[in-house]
Amino acid sequence: MADIKDVARQAGVSISTVSRVINDSKAVSPELKSKVNQAIARIGYSANSVARGLKIFKTNNIAIIITSVSRTFFASVLEGANNAADQLGYSMIIAETHDSLEREMQLVDAFASQWVDGIVLASSAYGNDPKTVQYIEKLQSLEKKGMRIPVITLEYALDSQYIDAVVIDHEKAAYKAVCYLINSINRKNIIHISLPKNHLMGRMRIAGYKRAFEESGLVYDENNIIAGDYTTYSGYKIVKQLLADNRKFDAIFCANDQMAVGAIKACEEFKILIPEQVAIVGNDDIFAASIVSPSLTSISVPKFELGATAVRRMHEIIGGDGTRKPRQIISLDTSFEERESTVRNAKRSLKYLEW
Amino acid sequence: MADIKDVARQAGVSISTVSRVINDSKAVSPELKSKVNQAIARIGYSANSVARGLKIFKTNNIAIIITSVSRTFFASVLEGANNAADQLGYSMIIAETHDSLEREMQLVDAFASQWVDGIVLASSAYGNDPKTVQYIEKLQSLEKKGMRIPVITLEYALDSQYIDAVVIDHEKAAYKAVCYLINSINRKNIIHISLPKNHLMGRMRIAGYKRAFEESGLVYDENNIIAGDYTTYSGYKIVKQLLADNRKFDAIFCANDQMAVGAIKACEEFKILIPEQVAIVGNDDIFAASIVSPSLTSISVPKFELGATAVRRMHEIIGGDGTRKPRQIISLDTSFEERESTVRNAKRSLKYLEW
DNA sequence: ATGTCCAAGGAAAACGTTTGCACACCGGTT
DNA sequence: AACCGGTGTGCAAACGTTTTCCTTGGACAT
């Protein structure tokens, strides 16, 4: 591969001039400029980004840390992020934590020493134990040669004054979904399959569930909250157990769609009619929600926009004058997709065809 | 962020010594070694990969170029690739072409000047027009400072003597699927919804379809091959048209699962019974195949392994002594998943619960 | 005592860029 | 004729590493 020296030699100019041409900085006389450009074209030169990165402290790489690509929710987020990155001239480095906070921390370190320009982070960190607090402090102060490496979290904000986030109002979305179950389709015994214990987003959704109950004058019963672990299997297993135990319920609100699919399959196995006997609502509106049968009513989260917005915001921060900007928390709206798991013969949107 | 100089100062040794410690190369006396390690721990130093990359011509980045993450097929491939990369100490840079060969070429150039250690490529290149031939030549000769940047293609091999590939025997898989339709469930009028015209993998599948017909003593009719464009919508539209035209057929073999899902939805709309009136077979066995209703019989491609194998092979090449290894084409086996779209009451595997 | 060899560690060059600085040139003022 | 300001160009330092080459000093043999 040719380097800048080769170009300089070919064009009969200095290295500096070549550099100025490829960065079209400063004034370079038209003649030299065209000589240089010709030389570049002739030998097929392309500036080396590693060397440039070292010099200017900018790699044009943005890292995105998610739990797993096979969680289709994150595949969509990733796609949005990558699209925006592409448009803005960044490469996207991807990494998966598989829900390990340990791993997440390692990855952050690795990316910092790789001098990525920013990190988009679907974090597993929450709570305020010393380890977490310390970790968040570190996230705030990641830097390369004095320049801050910005971090933006997805879905919820960290307990920090500095770290930006692109979030969803989980409490409100859950509240509305449960209100819908109570008021629109008249269910009173609603099971909530939540996220793993203490998970921040899980707690927000539980709060929404609780508020819906209280505002409707129903009693909130903690026993109706059962923690799942994101997977389809956990939803399946939990509902199967409930049915085996003869628990009475007429609706299930799941904290994500995968668990809701599991719930549907369990009901199917027990010949429970959906939605007549049990209505089911999921969360996220992943693609599977449209094609499962019955199709799944779900809180629709703008996944693509989540990723794209984070990257765009990152670009603003990076491109800025280097001064620390005031923290910004961008909140994205959800919508509600009513499908067959809550109303028989729901109008079938052809959304899934857009796949 | 501290650099190696800071460590050296702290530990009271030279830069070289620090470098030797972090690379545990050569002999460093135990005392100095521990002094250095303490200094590193104290100031939280971590070697900068950009500078190191520049020096040693190795970035530990592997690029993967696919058409789109939202094609869940590729999400699985990506996951496999990323898993392997993780284990071997690489970061994964991802990029999408959205089926544009133009874009693919740009990306390859960009990655080469980024000095990635290798490129895993789901290429859109096929045929032997001059432009393509030239492109393949370029792919063969990507290099950074005299070292070759290896390229490994996914799914099918390029027309090159040098570029490795991890492939599927598409012809055979299609052949077996169509034989199954003909012999096991007795269908004779089989539509094939193929890939965009001239696509290499599309042609391989058509060849398998054709061979199955000929070997069964049936006449192969070109009119039964209809080109789709990967999307669910195209499958839907094509089948709808066929039904509207009153075409006679008792089975459909789709070149991918997304189009097969579209086919199912179209049949459903026309109240065609699956599999009694029309049997449907897809290709890839993406997750949706398990959850759609009726569940979809499909050729199961080892997507995860496809990505993981490519990365592992890449590592072998990179880690080698730099001599050009003989080309290797690794062929992965498919299996056949029989589900409800070809046999009523197919045993329902709980595979989807492993999601 | 002198010489030889080896291990340990430092100095400095190199990797491919960008950029501050200096310099040379030129046209226009005094 | 001397000076000035601006413009275009090159030199060389710097970015943070790795690694070659060299120096030093000690162990050992003579």
Side-chain angles (χ1 to χ4, degrees):
Chain A
M1 206 65 165
D3 67 8
I4 199 172
K5 252 179 271 172
D6 300 322
V7 179
R9 199 174 315 125
Q10 268 279 326
V13 300
S14 76
I15 289 182
S16 333
T17 303
V18 178
S19 174
R20 284 196 263 262
V21 171
I22 59 189
N23 294 303
D24 52 273
S25 74
K26 283 282 193 75
V28 176
S29 68
E31 310 98 274
L32 284 202
K33 192 178 223 163
S34 90
K35 269 212 282 186
V36 169
N37 281 325
Q38 279 171 29
I40 288 178
R42 196 158 5 158
I43 65 184
Y45 167 75
S46 167
N48 173 272
S49 346
V50 177
R52 167 181 280 158
L54 176 61
K55 185 66 194 163
I56 67 175
F57 307 122
K58 190 160 178 340
T59 55
N60 285 315
N61 287 152
I62 291 182
I64 182 166
I65 301 181
I66 60 181
T67 63
S68 163
V69 191
S70 62
R71 221 109 103 191
T72 64
F73 176 86
F74 283 118
S76 301
V77 172
L78 176 59
E79 171 123 49
N82 191 53
N83 254 46
D86 222 51
Q87 280 172 22
L88 299 170
Y90 297 97
S91 292
M92 210 71 245
I93 303 186
I94 187 204
E96 301 172 299
T97 64
H98 297 285
D99 293 307
S100 154
L101 181 55
E102 197 80 32
R103 184 80 189 114
E104 179 183 327
M105 294 175 172
Q106 287 171 10
L107 287 167
V108 165
D109 279 335
F111 284 134
S113 71
Q114 239 189 313
W115 276 4
V116 296
D117 291 347
I119 300 179
V120 175
L121 178 59
S123 183
S124 309
Y126 51 81
N128 46 16
D129 55 300
K131 201 173 138 204
T132 304
V133 171
Q134 192 190 344
Y135 172 56
I136 292 179
E137 246 159 54
K138 168 186 238 151
L139 284 180
Q140 287 176 176
S141 57
L142 292 180
E143 54 171 48
K144 44 184 178 189
K145 207 58 193 176
M147 306 168 72
R148 204 159 96 82
I149 301 179
V151 174
I152 298 186
T153 61
L154 295 174
E155 296 194 271
Y156 65 94
L158 293 180
D159 191 2
S160 150
Q161 317 182 42
Y162 300 114
I163 302 175
D164 283 33
V166 183
V167 305
I168 302 297
D169 189 339
H170 304 285
E171 195 273 346
K172 184 169 141 203
Y175 168 78
K176 281 174 32 180
V178 177
C179 282
Y180 162 84
L181 286 171
I182 295 174
N183 301 319
S184 299
I185 65 169
N186 202 35
R187 307 295 162 124
K188 308 291 176 224
N189 287 299
I190 306 172
I191 297 286
H192 176 40
I193 301 184
S194 69
L195 300 184
K197 273 241 173 314
N198 290 324
H199 192 291
L200 195 55
M201 289 189 288
R203 288 211 303 269
M204 291 169 161
R205 290 183 192 148
I206 291 173
Y209 171 98
K210 191 171 174 188
R211 180 157 69 95
F213 264 68
E214 292 173 347
E215 290 190 5
S216 306
L218 297 173
V219 298
Y220 165 74
D221 180 356
E222 221 175 28
N223 292 317
N224 287 332
I225 311 291
I226 304 169
D229 68 359
Y230 296 102
T231 66
T232 307
Y233 184 65
S234 76
Y236 172 77
K237 201 177 46 182
I238 288 169
V239 174
K240 227 171 129 173
Q241 189 63 49
L242 290 172
L243 292 170
D245 292 354
N246 252 316
R247 283 275 287 269
K248 292 294 160 220
F249 55 94
D250 52 16
I252 308 176
F253 168 47
C254 296
N256 80 8
D257 284 352
Q258 289 185 57
M259 298 193 292
V261 170
I264 289 176
K265 297 300 180 179
C267 288
E268 195 174 69
E269 226 172 77
F270 276 70
K271 312 258 187 259
I272 302 288
L273 286 180
I274 303 172
E276 287 79 357
Q277 297 175 266
V278 172
I280 299 183
V281 173
N283 195 325
D284 293 347
D285 193 21
I286 61 179
F287 179 76
S290 299
I291 61 170
V292 73
S293 184
S295 58
L296 178 67
T297 295
S298 187
I299 296 169
S300 188
V301 173
K303 301 164 283 295
F304 187 95
E305 281 306 321
L306 207 59
T309 305
V311 168
R312 281 193 222 108
R313 171 66 185 153
M314 184 126 281
H315 177 63
E316 277 179 34
I317 301 178
I318 296 170
D321 50 12
T323 62
R324 179 170 285 200
K325 303 213 170 11
R327 184 193 199 198
Q328 194 171 316
I329 307 264
I330 303 174
S331 185
L332 264 33
D333 282 337
T334 59
S335 59
F336 192 75
E337 291 293 329
E338 191 177 41
R339 301 206 183 88
E340 297 165 344
S341 69
T342 55
V343 291
R344 167 112 346 237
N345 300 322
K347 70 172 190 323
R348 284 210 151 189
S349 96
L350 292 186
K351 186 178 166 193
Y352 54 81
L353 293 178
E354 292 165 15
W355 192 12
Chain B
M1 204 67 167
D3 68 7
I4 198 171
K5 252 179 273 171
D6 300 322
V7 178
R9 198 174 316 122
Q10 267 279 328
V13 300
S14 76
I15 290 182
S16 333
T17 302
V18 178
S19 174
R20 283 196 264 262
V21 171
I22 59 190
N23 295 302
D24 53 273
S25 74
K26 282 282 195 76
V28 176
S29 68
E31 310 96 275
L32 284 202
K33 192 177 223 161
S34 90
K35 269 211 281 187
V36 169
N37 280 327
Q38 279 171 31
I40 288 177
R42 194 157 9 162
I43 65 185
Y45 167 75
S46 167
N48 174 273
S49 343
V50 178
R52 167 182 279 157
L54 176 61
K55 185 66 193 164
I56 67 175
F57 307 124
K58 190 157 180 342
T59 55
N60 285 315
N61 287 152
I62 291 183
I64 182 166
I65 301 181
I66 59 181
T67 62
S68 162
V69 193
S70 62
R71 222 107 104 192
T72 64
F73 176 86
F74 284 118
S76 301
V77 171
L78 176 59
E79 172 123 48
N82 191 53
N83 253 46
D86 222 49
Q87 280 173 22
L88 299 170
Y90 297 97
S91 291
M92 210 73 244
I93 304 186
I94 187 200
E96 302 173 298
T97 64
H98 297 286
D99 292 307
S100 155
L101 181 56
E102 197 81 34
R103 183 79 189 114
E104 178 184 326
M105 293 175 173
Q106 289 171 8
L107 286 168
V108 166
D109 279 335
F111 284 135
S113 72
Q114 239 189 313
W115 276 5
V116 296
D117 291 348
I119 301 179
V120 175
L121 179 59
S123 184
S124 309
Y126 52 82
N128 46 15
D129 55 302
K131 200 172 138 207
T132 304
V133 170
Q134 192 190 345
Y135 171 56
I136 292 180
E137 247 158 53
K138 169 188 238 148
L139 283 180
Q140 287 176 176
S141 57
L142 291 180
E143 54 171 49
K144 45 185 177 188
K145 207 57 195 178
M147 306 167 73
R148 202 160 99 80
I149 301 180
V151 174
I152 297 186
T153 61
L154 294 175
E155 295 194 272
Y156 65 94
L158 293 180
D159 192 2
S160 149
Q161 316 181 41
Y162 299 114
I163 301 176
D164 282 33
V166 182
V167 305
I168 301 297
D169 189 339
H170 304 285
E171 195 273 347
K172 184 170 140 202
Y175 168 78
K176 282 174 33 182
V178 177
C179 282
Y180 162 84
L181 286 171
I182 296 172
N183 300 318
S184 299
I185 64 167
N186 203 35
R187 309 294 163 122
K188 308 291 175 219
N189 288 298
I190 307 172
I191 296 288
H192 175 42
I193 302 184
S194 70
L195 300 184
K197 272 238 172 315
N198 290 323
H199 192 290
L200 195 55
M201 289 188 288
R203 287 211 304 270
M204 291 169 162
R205 289 181 192 151
I206 292 172
Y209 171 98
K210 190 172 174 189
R211 181 156 69 93
F213 264 70
E214 291 174 346
E215 289 189 6
S216 306
L218 298 173
V219 298
Y220 165 75
D221 181 356
E222 223 175 27
N223 293 317
N224 288 330
I225 312 290
I226 304 168
D229 68 359
Y230 297 100
T231 65
T232 307
Y233 183 67
S234 77
Y236 172 79
K237 201 177 49 183
I238 288 168
V239 173
K240 225 170 130 172
Q241 189 61 50
L242 289 172
L243 292 169
D245 292 353
N246 251 314
R247 282 275 286 270
K248 291 296 161 219
F249 56 94
D250 51 16
I252 308 174
F253 168 46
C254 296
N256 79 10
D257 284 352
Q258 289 185 57
M259 298 193 293
V261 169
I264 288 176
K265 298 298 181 182
C267 288
E268 194 175 69
E269 226 171 76
F270 276 70
K271 310 257 186 261
I272 302 288
L273 285 179
I274 304 173
E276 287 80 357
Q277 296 175 268
V278 171
I280 299 183
V281 173
N283 197 326
D284 293 345
D285 192 21
I286 62 179
F287 179 75
S290 299
I291 60 170
V292 72
S293 185
S295 56
L296 177 65
T297 296
S298 186
I299 295 170
S300 187
V301 173
K303 301 164 283 296
F304 186 95
E305 279 306 321
L306 208 58
T309 306
V311 168
R312 280 192 223 109
R313 171 66 184 153
M314 184 125 282
H315 177 65
E316 276 179 35
I317 301 177
I318 295 170
D321 50 9
T323 62
R324 180 172 285 200
K325 301 215 170 10
R327 185 194 200 199
Q328 193 169 317
I329 307 264
I330 303 175
S331 184
L332 264 31
D333 283 338
T334 58
S335 58
F336 191 74
E337 291 292 328
E338 191 177 41
R339 301 205 183 88
E340 297 165 344
S341 69
T342 57
V343 292
R344 165 110 352 233
N345 299 322
K347 70 173 190 325
R348 285 211 150 187
S349 96
L350 293 185
K351 187 177 165 192
Y352 53 81
L353 294 177
E354 291 164 16
W355 192 9

